[in-house]
Amino acid sequence: MEKLLSEVQLAELRKMIDDARRVVCVCHVNPDGDALGSTLALWHWMRSMGKECSVVVPNCFPDFLAWMPGASEIIRYDKRKAEAEQIMGEADLMWVCDLNCSKRVLEMENALLGSPACKVMVDHHQDPDDFCNMVISEPQMCATCEILCHVLYQMGVLQEAGLDMAVCLYTGMMTDTGAFTYNSSRPVIFDCICRLLERGVDKDRIYRNVMWTATPARMRLIGYMLYVKMEVQKGLHTSLMTLTNAERRMLGIKNGDTEGVVNLPLQISGMRLSALLSEDTEHRNVVRISLRSVDDFPCNEMSARFFNGGGHMNAAGGRLECSMDEAVKRFHEAVKSYEALLK
C-alpha cells in the first residue's frame, strides 16, 4: 500500500475529522460507481465514528447501483434542493469525491462553494481546481476509491473496515476500470483488492449486480444501438452511436440502461475509439459525450479540446450545449483533428 499523506497532512486530516460533528459527502453530476462508492464508503466510516453524515449528489444515478449499501439514504439535490442546501450549509466537514472542478456539480455549485465546511477533495482526475482546504489528488490511480483505500490504510481504518464500506470501495474500483480491463495494470491495485476481499467482499456478486443485471429494455437498446445506430469509420478505426430522448421513450429505457454501451464497439478488431452522443434527459439542447479508447489514444485530451470535458486516457466524457446534429458535426471535426493518430 502507498503512503499518500505526509505526517503533517495526516495530522491535519485527523483534526478536521475529530473537530467535525456534521459531515456531508458530495460528488459530480450523473454519479457513477466510483462517485457513489467513494461517497458511500466515507458515509459508512463517518457514521461509524458517531458523526452526523449525509451524501448529497447533484442528480440521478444508475438504477443498477441502487443496491449499494447506503444508496437508499442518498439525497438528490435536484429533488430535495432546500434540504440539501441546509445540510451543506450546516456541515463542519465536506468530502468532495471524484470531482476536480466545482462546475462538475452544475446547479449545486453555489451550495458547494458557499458551504462553510472544511473541504477535503479526494480525486483521480487531472488538474484539480483550488477550492478545497485539502486536496488529495492522484491522477495515476485507477479510481477515487483506490485513493481512499490507501488513505484509509494509512490511517489504520481499512484494516478494520466493515463489509459495507469495503463493498463500496471495491465497486468504485471495479466500475471505473471496466471490471479491471483498463487503467488497472499497477500491481498495487490488486493489493487493495486483496485487502478488501479480506474484509468479506464477494466480488462475484458485485460483478453480477453491476455487469449482468439488465432490464428487457436495456437488451433491446443494445441490439438497436449496434444494428441501427452504430456508424463505423473503418479507415479511422472509430465508431459513433447517437441516442435521442425520443429514442429513449420509444425503447422505454430507464436511467442506467445506457451504461457500458459505449464500450461495445471496441470489441471490433482494430477499433481504437468509440463514442456515444446522447441527449441529456433533464436539459434541452444539451448533448452528453462519452468516449472510450484502447492503447494510447487520449480520450481525455480530445474531450477537453472539443467537448468541454475531461477524464482519463481511455475513458472520458464531456458536454455540449447544442443540437444532436451540431454535436455529431463537432465529433467528426474532432476525429479529423486526430486522424493521424487514429490511422
Side-chain angles (χ1 to χ4, degrees):
M1 301 294 285
E2 299 182 6
K3 290 187 176 181
L4 304 183
L5 303 180
S6 68
E7 291 302 318
V8 172
Q9 291 173 315
L10 202 59
E12 181 183 357
L13 182 57
R14 290 188 189 280
K15 187 175 189 309
M16 286 183 188
I17 295 169
D18 290 342
D19 290 347
R21 186 166 66 90
R22 296 187 178 96
V23 182
V24 62
C25 308
V26 302
C27 63
H28 58 72
V29 69
N30 301 317
D32 56 11
D34 193 27
L36 293 184
S38 53
T39 51
L40 287 172
L42 289 166
W43 180 78
H44 287 292
W45 180 31
M46 294 291 98
R47 284 170 59 90
S48 73
M49 297 180 68
K51 311 288 184 183
E52 294 181 27
C53 189
S54 302
V55 174
V56 176
V57 303
N59 62 350
C60 57
F61 55 87
D63 292 342
F64 65 81
L65 295 174
W67 62 270
M68 293 178 66
S72 62
E73 302 297 321
I74 291 174
I75 297 169
R76 281 178 52 180
Y77 182 84
D78 63 335
K79 296 293 186 182
R80 299 157 65 182
K81 180 178 178 181
E83 180 184 1
E85 289 184 344
Q86 180 177 351
I87 288 170
M88 295 169 75
E90 295 176 350
D92 307 307
L93 175 65
M94 178 183 291
W95 292 96
V96 180
C97 299
D98 205 34
L99 173 67
N100 65 339
C101 172
S102 61
K103 294 186 183 301
R104 292 192 67 209
V105 300
L106 298 184
E107 286 85 358
M108 201 171 83
E109 184 177 18
N110 288 339
L112 185 156
L113 296 178
S115 172
C118 286
K119 299 178 181 67
V120 180
M121 177 192 294
V122 187
D123 182 59
H124 70 136
H125 298 90
Q126 295 179 339
D127 305 319
D129 283 356
D130 184 18
F131 66 94
C132 293
N133 301 81
M134 176 179 287
V135 175
I136 308 173
S137 173
E138 301 290 339
Q140 80 281 6
M141 294 198 171
C142 72
T144 295
C145 281
E146 185 198 345
I147 300 173
L148 277 178
C149 282
H150 295 293
V151 171
L152 292 170
Y153 184 82
Q154 193 173 354
M155 298 185 75
V157 175
L158 190 66
Q159 297 88 322
E160 303 296 330
L163 177 58
D164 288 345
M165 180 195 291
V167 165
C168 293
L169 292 170
Y170 184 90
T171 303
M173 293 176 66
M174 187 193 77
T175 54
D176 240 29
T177 58
F180 306 104
T181 60
Y182 53 81
N183 195 30
S184 56
S185 293
R186 293 166 45 254
V188 71
I189 292 171
F190 296 91
D191 191 2
C192 294
I193 292 169
C194 286
R195 295 179 190 279
L196 295 174
L197 294 177
E198 289 174 349
R199 306 312 305 158
V201 166
D202 183 342
K203 71 176 186 63
D204 300 337
R205 183 178 182 184
I206 294 173
Y207 185 89
R208 290 195 303 273
N209 286 346
V210 175
M211 302 294 186
W212 292 106
T213 300
T215 63
R218 172 174 165 80
M219 300 305 292
R220 288 191 292 269
L221 170 71
I222 291 172
Y224 177 74
M225 295 300 284
L226 295 179
Y227 186 69
V228 178
K229 301 305 300 283
M230 184 174 67
E231 170 192 323
V232 176
Q233 300 180 52
K234 292 183 178 179
L236 295 175
H237 307 104
T238 296
S239 72
L240 170 65
M241 295 179 288
T242 62
L243 181 66
T244 66
N245 285 331
E247 289 170 320
R248 287 177 186 269
R249 291 189 292 271
M250 176 186 74
L251 294 166
I253 62 175
K254 298 193 301 181
N255 178 47
D257 284 340
T258 60
E259 189 71 20
V261 171
V262 67
N263 296 306
L264 297 177
L266 292 178
Q267 298 178 44
I268 300 172
S269 178
M271 194 64 58
R272 286 178 57 77
L273 174 65
S274 173
L276 171 63
L277 277 55
S278 58
E279 290 183 342
D280 193 290
T281 58
E282 299 170 33
H283 303 89
R284 288 179 56 84
N285 288 321
V286 172
V287 177
R288 293 169 53 194
I289 294 89
S290 296
L291 302 176
R292 298 293 185 271
S293 69
V294 297
D295 299 328
D296 60 352
F297 185 84
C299 285
N300 50 356
E301 182 183 299
M302 174 182 274
S303 183
R305 285 181 58 190
F306 289 92
F307 308 120
N308 307 304
H312 308 285
M313 173 75 79
N314 299 127
R319 185 175 183 268
L320 293 175
E321 295 185 6
C322 63
S323 68
M324 178 61 80
D325 288 343
E326 291 170 319
V328 170
K329 182 179 178 181
R330 183 67 169 167
F331 175 74
H332 288 308
E333 291 173 358
V335 169
K336 185 174 179 60
S337 177
Y338 283 88
E339 186 173 346
L341 186 55
L342 287 168
K343 282 186 175 179

